Amino acid sequence: MKRMQCEMERGLRLETHKEASVKMLPTYVCSTPEGSELGDFLALDLGGTNFRVMLVKVGEDEERSWKVETKNQMYSIPEDAMTGTAEMLFDYIAECMSDFLDKHHIKHKKLPLGFTFSFPVRHEDIDKGILLNWTKGFKASGAEGNNVVGLLRDAIKRRGDFEMDVVAMVNDTVATMISCYYEDRSCEVGMIVGTGCNACYMEEMKTVELVEGEEGRMCVNTEWGAFGDNGELEEFRLEYDRVVDETSINPGHQLYEKLISGKYMGELVRLVLMKLVNENLLFNGEASELLKTRGSFETRYVSQVESDTGDRKQIYNIVSSLGHLPSTLDCDIVRLVCETVSTRSAHMCGAGLAGVVNLMRERRGQDALEITVGVDGSVYKLHPCFRERFHKIVWDLAPRCEIAFIQSEEGSGRGAALISAVACKMACMLTQ
């Protein structure tokens, strides 16, 4: 926790930002929605192999309370678009947008657009961000080092069959925080625990040295997945972690994320099971060809094993599908391995978040801090025990903070649209 805080401080300071593993990227999101931004907004959400387009209607109900309605559609991104050129990727995104606008009969409208882009970006303004590096299996050439919003605008222009006003680009953690703020005005932290793992929070402007200004607060995208890339986690990393890292597409990078996120959890379990087989402690010392295959133990199996009611049927079925006929003891060992890996993930993640909220409390000079954390992501939402273990560690490590957790619904898209609404309102105020 203390090491995380140290790297966060280094990321915020001009003189140490470049070397810091936790980059603490300014997002230029300073305002939070106050319930007065009305209208139709389009949101895009790109952060994994699926891409989402969403129409968000922000209005008022009969009691003049704020209400948000959404319609969305998911599109799968083909492998060649993920690993080809930036032009191919953004042309595909524009094609999906065109399809969505056709289906909802709104192609004639020029709507404000919020873009959730869940990769490391150095923002120069709320609608301008330079992609630092791809993660999560994306490798589209010609994007790194370029303005992502510019690439999207160029692709829309190339199509020429619709117009769009791109007013804001945000990270998924930021969008989650803003979406949850709509439910709870104390929400000043956003976190994702899914394929990847990251967090953002509202930091005092005077400590964000990469941006001019002293007053108020700005949302900072920690990009904490890279914590450990300078050796901060060495004594916590086991032989299995080293194998996962060495066989990944980005060896030596995102080491904290590799201890926590859903992308790696199943493979860590498989490597531990293989070690137990090799030491003749599991499956009579014999591993099936499937169990020997990298990626064969999917992260969803971890959730399913830990959801077993005690009759071991679920565990038996999963292990059988991997080419083994397990004994009762084998089933219990598989469960223990899953529990150990997922518990470590929850504890590591919890320690990081406790570091963030404790730092916020100290910054604000408060004896006690009441705060809400908005959370999204498949591991947090779908694993049967992760939430409970994670919450307990955060509460244990941040005893002077009263922390509530709120699960985001449609966070990434809705949050991006709400940030667009804020950006539009601010632009109107500036021109008046």
Side-chain angles (χ1 to χ4, degrees), residues 130-196:
I130 309 301
L131 175 64
L132 298 176
N133 56 277
W134 285 118
T135 55
K136 307 178 212 175
F138 279 73
K139 277 187 173 176
S141 61
E144 293 179 350
N146 284 311
N147 174 19
V148 178
V149 174
L151 295 170
L152 178 62
R153 283 175 177 149
D154 290 347
I156 291 169
K157 203 177 285 181
R158 276 194 297 276
R159 277 196 72 85
D161 61 341
F162 66 90
E163 285 186 276
M164 205 55 59
D165 184 16
V166 188
V167 295
M169 178 175 72
V170 291
N171 180 274
D172 54 355
T173 57
V174 184
T176 295
M177 182 189 79
I178 293 291
S179 178
C180 291
Y181 178 89
Y182 164 71
E183 308 286 344
D184 179 342
R185 295 295 190 262
S186 304
C187 186
E188 292 188 79
V189 182
M191 196 180 83
I192 304 285
V193 197
T195 309

Side-chain angles (χ1 to χ4, degrees), residues 308-355:
D308 189 89
T309 53
D311 60 9
R312 303 181 182 83
K313 271 186 189 169
Q314 201 141 290
I315 304 172
Y316 186 91
N317 290 340
I318 289 164
V319 175
S320 301
S321 74
L322 293 167
H324 288 277
L325 294 175
S327 66
T328 300
L329 180 60
D330 287 337
C331 287
D332 290 346
I333 291 170
V334 170
R335 181 173 192 135
L336 183 62
V337 171
C338 288
E339 285 174 351
T340 305
V341 171
S342 66
T343 299
R344 184 189 69 159
S345 166
H347 287 184
M348 278 288 185
C349 189
L353 186 67

Side-chain angles (χ1 to χ4, degrees), residues 285-314:
E286 290 184 23
S288 67
E289 285 308 308
L290 202 49
L291 190 64
K292 290 177 188 173
T293 307
R294 186 161 74 93
S296 60
F297 200 100
E298 297 174 33
T299 294
R300 66 189 171 96
Y301 295 163
V302 181
S303 292
Q304 288 165 7
V305 163
E306 292 189 59
S307 297
D308 189 89
T309 53
D311 60 9
R312 303 181 182 83
K313 271 186 189 169
Q314 201 141 290

